[in-house]
C-alpha cells in the first residue's frame, strides 16, 4: 500500500502539518532543498512542486535570479488537479536554473544529498528528490527535459517517473524546451505514483500538445540492454546493475543485448534541440514585466534588456548563445534541422525494440558526486552524464528510475523505459520490484 | 516599375489569436491575461475562428490552401513583443500561389499567413507607454508578388483587396500595416510599417517620384529600408540593412499542426468582376455599379434583386437615392415601387422616397420623359413668337406646361422639370 492510502486512512490534519513544516525547516537548513513554503497548510496529503511549475500566489523562480519576485497569478494544470483532489500544497523545491544542469549546482541555493550532505542531490529536479527522500507522507511534482527526474531520483534513492510526452499538461510549466519538457512524479512507491499520475494526466484546453490517448500497461518479459550506452559507466555501478539483472532473471525476465550505433547521436541531437528552444523561451526575460525589476527605465530598450539579462547564470547564457547559433539561418540545416531528423530516427529505432521489450540501464554512470567533483567537470563532461537519461527523454518515451542497490552508503538507481503510452507497465514493474527489494531512507519526517 | 506589398490586416474575431481575451477594448491594458502577456508558464491555444477567417481570406484570394498549417517563432527584441518572439508562419502558412483580378491585370499573391499582433507603443514626450490590449490580436498577412507597376494599379489593387475583405466581414481600415517594396530601377527599397490606406498611397507616390528623380539624374537608388514620415509626407532612410535581420525561426513547439479541412468556406464576392458583368449584360456604367457595390453588401443585394426585371439605369438611380437618404433597409415591395416610379419617368427624389416609405400614393405619369421632351419641343417650335415675350410675361411657361401635361396626362411637375432642362440647353 502506498503512503497516500495510508495517510488517507489516518486522516491527519492541523497540528500534523504544522509539526511537519517545523521539522522541514530544520532539515532544510542542512539540505537547502526548499523554495517558497506554504506555512499555513493544515490539511491534505502533502505534495511539493518543482520551482519551475506555477502555484498561484507563490514565488516561482525556476532556480533563476532573473525570475526573483515572480508570483504567478495562476496554477499549473497539474497543481490545480492535485488541489482539486484534496492534496495539500506544501512548498516549492529547488532546481538548476531553468532546468539547465545535472547536479543542482547551477543555481544560488544548492540542494544537498540526504545520504551525505557533501554530495550533490542531482539535477535539475534536485529539491524534489530531496523532499521525497526526507518525508514519508509526501509526493513530489517534478519535471524532466533530458533526465531531470531520473537523475536526482537515482542520486537520492527515490522513484522518479517521467510519463509519455503529452500525457500531462505543461500549462503552468516555465519552459525550458517545450518539445521535450514533461511534468512527472517522484515518490516512494509505484502505487503512489500511479495514483498521482491518474490525477494529473489527461487532455487540457490550455496545452495544445497534451492528449487524451489511453494509457496502457502491457508488461514485457524481455529486457534489452543497449551496448553503446554501457560505456563510460563506473565499475561499482556496473556491478550493481549486473546484480539487478540477475535478480530480474530470477523473476522471469530475459535479458538481451543489442547494438544501436545511432544512439550516440542522441546527446548532440538533444542538446541542439533543447538549446534552440531554450534560447527562444529565455528571450522573454527582459526585466520589465515580471521577475527581476530594473530600477531605472531611462535607458534605450536594447541597453535596458541587456542589463536585465545579465542576471542569467553562466549555463543559461551558454545555452542562449549556442541555441541562438544553431537556429540561425546559415547553419540551421546543419544543426537544428539535422537534430530533428536524428530525433525521429532514434525514436523509430527505440519504438521497434520497445514493441516486445523494456529497455533497461543504470540511471547514472556514477553515484552522486561531491560538490567539488561536480564543479570541476567541464560542460561537455557534465552533458555526458546524461547519456543514459537522454534517449527516452529525446523520444518522449515513458521511463522510471528506481533504487536497485546501495554502494558506499549511496543509492544506485536503474532506469526502465517502455513504449509511448504504456506508462502503467513501468508502475506495475516497480510494484513487483518493491516486493523483493526494500528502499532505504535516511529520514522519514512526518512518520507516525 | 515593380511594387509588392506585405499587408497586415486585423481579423475581426471576438477573442485574441491564442487566448480568450477580447480583441476589442478601450481602456489600455484591460484585455490582457498571462498568455498574451507572455507570462512564464502560460501557453498559447489557437483560436479556431481566426484560423477559419484566415482560410477564407486565402480562399478569396484564389490561393492554394495547405492541408495543414503550423506556426513558427520569430525572435526579436522590442518592447512591444511580450515573449520577445512573435508566433507567425513561414513554410506552414495557410496558403499561397493566389491572385487578385484587376480590370486589365492579375496581381499574384505569394503567401497568406496568420500571426499575432504585437502590443501598441504609445510615445509621449518624455516616456513611452505600452498597451498590451493589442498584443495577440489575430493578423492575417497578405504577401503579393511584385506585380504592381504604377500608382494607379496600386490604388486599384488596394481597393479591390479592401472590397474582397469587406465581403468577408473584414474591415481593412480597422488596423492596416503595410510593408511596401518599390523598385523603379533594379534596387529594391522597402518602406516598413506604413499604417492606413491614405498613408500607403501617399508613401508610394512619394517614393516612386523620389526613385524616378534619382534615375533621371542617373544617380543610384540605394537598396535599403525606409520608413514613412506621416507629418512630413516623405519616406526616410531607416539606416538598417535588411540582410541584418536574423530571426532564427524555429517551429513553435507549444502548438501542433492544424487541419484546414474543417473550416467553413464562404463564397467570395469580387465586386469589380460583378460590376463589369452587370454593365455588359444589363446596361449601366460598370464604374457606377462598382462604386455602389464595392463596399456595400446591401447595394449588391438590391441590384441583384432587381437586375433582371428593370433597366439597370433606373435601379442605379433608386439605389443612389436610397443610399443618400439612408433607406437601404427598404422592403422589397417598396423598392419595387420606387423602380416602377423611376421607370415611368418620374424622377425619384427625397420627396417621392418619403411618400413611398410612408406608403402614400405617388402621382406618376405613365409617359416617359422622352414623350414629354418631344411634345415640349413641338410646342416651342410652334410658339417661337410667344417665347420671345418670355421676359415680359413668365406665364408663357405655365401655358406650355399646362398644354403638354393636359395632352399627355402627365404630371405638371415632371413637365416643368423637363422644360427647364430643355430651355437651359437652348
Ligand atoms: Zn490574453
Amino acid at each position: 500500500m502506498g503512503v497516500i492510502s495510508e495517510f488517507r486512512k489516518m486522516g491527519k490534519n492541523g497540528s500534523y502539518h504544522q509539526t511537519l513544516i517545523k521539522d522541514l525547516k530544520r532539515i532544510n537548513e542542512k539540505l537547502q532543498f526548499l523554495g517558497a513554503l506554504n506555512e499555513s497548510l493544515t490539511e491534505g496529503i502533502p505534495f511539493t512542486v518543482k520551482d519551475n511549475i506555477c502555484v498561484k500566489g507563490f514565488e516561482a523562480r525556476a532556480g533563476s535570479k532573473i525570475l526573483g519576485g515572480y508570483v504567478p497569478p495562476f496554477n499549473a494544470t497539474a497543481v490545480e488537479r492535485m488541489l482539486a483532489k484534496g492534496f495539500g500544497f506544501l512548498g516549492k523545491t529547488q532546481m538548476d536554473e531553468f532546468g539547465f544542469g545535472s547536479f543542482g549546482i547551477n543555481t544560488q541555493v544548492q540542494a544537498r544529498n540526504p545520504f551525505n550532505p557533501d554530495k550533490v542531490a542531482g539535477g535539475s529536479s534536485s529539491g524534489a528528490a530531496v523532499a521525497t527522500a526526507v518525508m514519508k507522507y509526501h509526493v513530489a511534482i517534478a519535471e524532466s527535459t533530458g533526465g531531470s527526474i531520473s537523475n536526482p531520483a537515482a542520486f537520492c534513492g527515490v522513484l522518479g517517473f517521467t510519463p509519455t510526452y503529452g500525457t500531462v499538461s505543461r500549462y503552468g510549466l516555465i519552459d525550458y524546451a517545450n518539445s521535450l519538457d514533461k511534468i512527472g512524479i517522484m515518490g516512494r512507491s509505484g502505487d503512489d505514483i500511479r495514483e498521482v499520475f491518474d490525477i494529473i494526466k489527461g487532455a487540457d484546453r490550455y496545452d495544445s500538445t497534451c492528449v487524451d490517448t489511453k494509457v496502457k500497461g502491457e508488461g514485457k518479459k524481455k529486457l534489452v540492454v543497449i551496448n553503446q550506452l554501457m560505456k563510460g559507466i563506473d565499475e561499482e555501478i556496473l556491478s550493481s546493475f549486473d546484480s539487478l539483472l540477475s535478480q530480474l532473471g530470477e523473476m522471469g525476465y530475459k535479458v538481451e543485448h543489442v547494438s544501436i550505433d545511432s544512439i550516440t547521436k542522441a546527446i548532440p541531437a538533444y542538446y541542439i534541440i533543447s538549446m534552440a528552444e531554450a534560447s527562444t523561451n529565455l528571450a522573454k526575460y527582459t526585466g520589465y514585466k515580471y521577475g527581476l525589476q530594473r530600477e531605472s527605465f531611462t535607458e534605450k530598450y536594447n541597453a535596458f534588456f541587456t542589463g536585465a539579462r545579465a542576471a542569467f547564470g553562466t549555463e543559461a547564457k551558454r545555452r542562449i548563445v549556442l541555441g541562438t547559433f544553431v537556429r540561425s539561418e546559415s547553419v540551421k540545416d546543419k544543426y537544428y534541422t539535422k537534430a530533428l531528423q536524428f530525433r525521429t530516427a532514434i525514436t523509430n529505432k527505440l519504438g521497434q525494440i520497445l514493441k516486445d521489450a523494456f529497455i533497461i540501464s543504470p540511471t547514472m554512470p556514477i553515484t552522486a558526486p561531491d560538490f567539488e567533483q561536480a564543479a570541476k567537470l567541464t560542460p561537455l563532461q557534465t552533458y555526458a552524464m546524461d547519456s543514459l537519461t537522454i534517449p527516452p527523454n529525446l523520444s518522449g518515451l515513458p521511463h522510471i528510475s528506481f533504487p536497485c542497490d546501495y554502494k558506499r552508503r549511496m543509492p544506485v538507481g536503474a532506469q526502465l523505459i517502455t513504449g509511448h503510452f504504456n506508462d502503467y507497465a513501468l508502475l506495475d514493474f516497480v510494484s513487483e520490484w518493491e516486493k523483493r527489494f526494500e528502499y532505504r531512507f535516511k529520514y522519514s519526517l512526518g512518520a507516525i | 516599375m515593380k511594387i509588392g506589398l506585405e499587408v497586415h490586416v486585423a481579423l475581426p474575431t471576438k477573442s485574441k489569436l491564442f487566448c480568450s481575451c477580447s480583441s476589442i477594448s478601450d481602456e489600455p491594458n484591460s484585455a490582457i491575461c498571462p498568455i498574451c502577456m507572455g507570462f512564464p508558464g502560460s501557453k498559447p491555444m489557437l483560436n479556431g475562428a481566426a484560423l477559419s477567417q484566415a482560410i477564407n481570406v486565402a480562399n478569396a484570394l484564389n490561393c492554394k490552401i495547405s492541408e495543414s498549417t503550423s506556426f513558427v517563432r520569430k525572435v526579436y527584441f522590442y518592447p512591444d513583443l511580450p515573449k520577445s518572439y512573435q508566433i507567425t508562419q513561414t513554410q506552414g502558412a495557410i496558403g499561397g500561389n493566389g491572385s487578385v483580378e484587376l480590370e486589365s491585370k492579375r496581381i499574384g499573391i505569394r503567401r497568406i499567413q496568420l500571426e499575432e499582433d504585437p502590443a501598441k507603443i504609445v510615445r509621449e514626450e518624455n516616456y513611452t507607454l505600452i498597451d498590451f490590449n493589442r498584443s495577440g490580436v489575430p493578423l492575417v498577412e497578405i504577401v503579393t508578388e511584385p506585380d504592381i507597376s504604377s500608382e494607379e494599379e496600386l490604388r486599384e489593387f488596394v481597393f479591390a483587396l479592401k472590397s474582397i475583405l469587406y465581403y468577408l466581414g473584414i474591415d481593412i481600415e480597422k488596423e492596416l500595416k503595410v510593408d511596401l517594396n518599390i523598385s523603379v530601377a533594379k534596387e529594391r527599397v522597402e518602406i516598413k510599417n506604413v499604417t492606413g490606406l491614405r498613408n500607403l498611397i501617399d508613401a508610394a507616390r512619394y517614393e516612386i517620384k523620389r526613385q524616378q528623380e534619382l534615375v533621371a539624374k542617373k544617380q543610384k537608388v540605394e537598396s535599403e529600408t525606409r520608413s514613412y514620415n506621416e507629418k512630413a509626407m516623405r519616406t526616410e532612410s531607416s539606416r538598417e540593412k535588411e540582410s541584418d535581420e536574423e530571426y532564427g525561426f524555429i517551429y513553435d513547439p507549444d502548438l501542433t499542426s492544424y487541419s484546414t479541412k474543417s473550416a467553413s468556406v464562404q463564397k467570395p464576392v469580387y465586386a469589380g468582376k460583378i460590376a463589369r458583368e452587370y454593365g455588359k449584360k444589363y446596361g449601366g456604367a460598370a464604374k457606377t455599379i462598382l462604386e455602389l457595390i464595392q463596399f456595400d453588401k446591401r447595394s449588391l443585394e438590391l441590384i441583384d434583386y432587381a437586375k433582371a426585371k428593370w433597366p439597370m439605369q433606373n435601379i442605379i438611380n433608386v439605389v443612389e437615392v436610397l443610399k443618400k437618404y439612408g433607406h437601404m433597409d427598404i422592403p422589397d415591395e417598396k423598392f419595387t415601387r420606387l423602380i416602377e416610379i423611376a421607370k415611368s419617368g418620374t424622377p425619384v427624389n427625397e420627396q417621392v422616397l418619403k411618400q413611398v416609405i410612408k406608403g402614400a400614393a405617388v402621382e406618376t405619369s405613365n409617359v416617359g420623359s422622352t414623350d414629354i421632351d418631344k411634345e415640349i419641343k413641338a410646342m416651342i417650335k410652334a410658339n417661337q413668337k410667344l417665347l420671345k415675350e418670355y421676359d415680359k410675361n413668365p406665364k408663357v411657361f405655365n401655358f406650355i406646361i399646362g398644354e403638354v401635361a393636359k395632352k399627355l396626362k402627365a404630371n405638371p411637375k415632371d413637365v416643368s422639370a423637363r422644360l427647364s432642362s430643355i430651355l437651359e440647353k437652348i
Side-chain angles (χ1 to χ4, degrees), chain B residues 56-74:
Chain B
N56 268 287
V57 171
N59 178 60
L61 301 182
N62 304 302
C63 289
K64 190 176 179 309
I65 295 169
S66 322
E67 276 183 34
S68 77
T69 190
S70 59
F71 294 85
V72 296
R73 294 176 170 186
K74 176 180 179 178

Side-chain angles (χ1 to χ4, degrees), chain B residues 16 19-21 31-33 35-36:
Chain B
K16 294 185 180 178
C19 64
S20 54
C21 290
I32 57 173
C33 75
I35 297 169
C36 56

Side-chain angles (χ1 to χ4, degrees), chain A residues 104-408:
Chain A
I105 57 174
N106 293 336
T107 183
Q108 288 164 297
V109 184
Q110 304 176 341
R112 296 176 168 270
N113 196 302
F115 285 84
N116 179 349
D118 293 334
K119 293 184 183 290
V120 303
S124 68
S125 308
S126 49
V130 179
T132 309
V134 300
M135 273 182 278
K136 179 157 186 199
Y137 298 107
H138 155 269
V139 283
I141 303 294
E143 177 274 338
S144 171
T145 306
S148 286
I149 290 177
S150 277
N151 163 332
F155 281 174
C156 294
V158 300
L159 290 172
F161 168 62
T162 307
T164 304
Y165 179 86
T167 50
V168 177
S169 167
R170 289 181 299 111
Y171 189 75
L173 171 68
I174 299 175
D175 308 306
Y176 162 3
N178 321 51
S179 74
L180 297 159
D181 295 345
K182 299 155 293 278
I183 288 183
I185 305 151
M186 290 193 195
R188 289 184 168 201
S189 76
D191 287 353
D192 294 317
I193 288 176
R194 180 189 302 266
E195 178 155 359
V196 174
F197 181 48
D198 283 340
I199 292 169
I200 65 176
K201 75 174 164 47
D204 176 17
R205 59 181 290 245
Y206 292 108
D207 177 3
S208 320
T209 63
C210 183
V211 293
D212 248 341
T213 307
K214 198 169 153 32
V215 175
K216 301 166 296 181
E218 289 172 5
K220 315 284 172 188
K221 279 292 160 192
K222 188 162 103 186
L223 300 171
V224 164
V225 175
I226 300 172
N227 294 329
Q228 282 81 354
L229 295 182
M230 300 305 288
K231 286 167 190 153
I233 295 173
D234 264 15
E235 284 302 323
E236 58 179 15
I237 300 277
L238 282 178
S239 83
S240 293
F241 186 61
D242 283 344
S243 132
L244 169 68
L245 291 185
S246 60
Q247 290 176 72
L248 292 175
E250 288 163 24
M251 287 162 69
Y253 290 94
K254 296 256 173 311
V255 178
E256 201 178 299
H257 290 260
V258 302
S259 276
I260 309 177
D261 288 328
S262 63
I263 203 82
T264 53
K265 301 279 198 324
I267 295 184
Y270 166 79
Y271 274 101
I272 288 167
I273 295 168
S274 67
M275 287 182 187
E277 291 182 16
S279 68
T280 67
N281 288 320
L282 266 49
K284 68 170 66 161
Y285 302 106
T286 47
Y288 72 107
K289 296 183 299 290
Y290 38 72
L292 193 72
Q293 297 291 314
R294 304 207 62 206
E295 281 163 22
S296 154
F297 279 81
T298 56
E299 287 163 300
K300 288 245 160 63
Y301 73 87
N302 259 333
F304 180 89
F305 293 167
T306 307
R309 293 167 70 76
F312 281 126
T314 308
E315 187 58 30
K317 285 176 184 159
R318 177 178 295 120
R319 295 193 191 199
I320 290 170
V321 172
L322 290 174
T324 305
F325 171 71
V326 296
R327 63 182 165 82
S328 64
E329 220 44 63
S330 54
V331 298
K332 188 173 163 179
D333 286 346
K334 204 167 141 196
Y335 295 108
Y336 176 69
T337 312
K338 198 169 263 178
L340 292 179
Q341 289 160 357
F342 277 131
R343 163 153 78 181
T344 308
I346 290 168
T347 304
N348 290 341
K349 187 77 206 166
L350 294 178
Q352 280 166 13
I353 294 173
L354 292 168
K355 269 186 204 149
D356 63 349
F358 290 121
I359 293 173
I360 195 162
S361 71
T363 306
M364 296 300 291
I366 53 173
T367 54
D370 293 343
F371 279 89
E372 263 175 68
Q373 284 173 285
K376 263 188 249 158
L377 295 175
T378 65
L380 276 180
Q381 287 169 322
T382 307
Y383 300 163
M385 288 287 154
D386 302 336
S387 59
L388 300 163
T389 61
I390 278 177
N393 276 283
L394 180 67
S395 298
L397 293 165
H399 52 286
I400 194 163
S401 175
F402 58 96
C404 67
D405 201 1
Y406 297 86
K407 280 280 156 75
R408 290 179 292 114

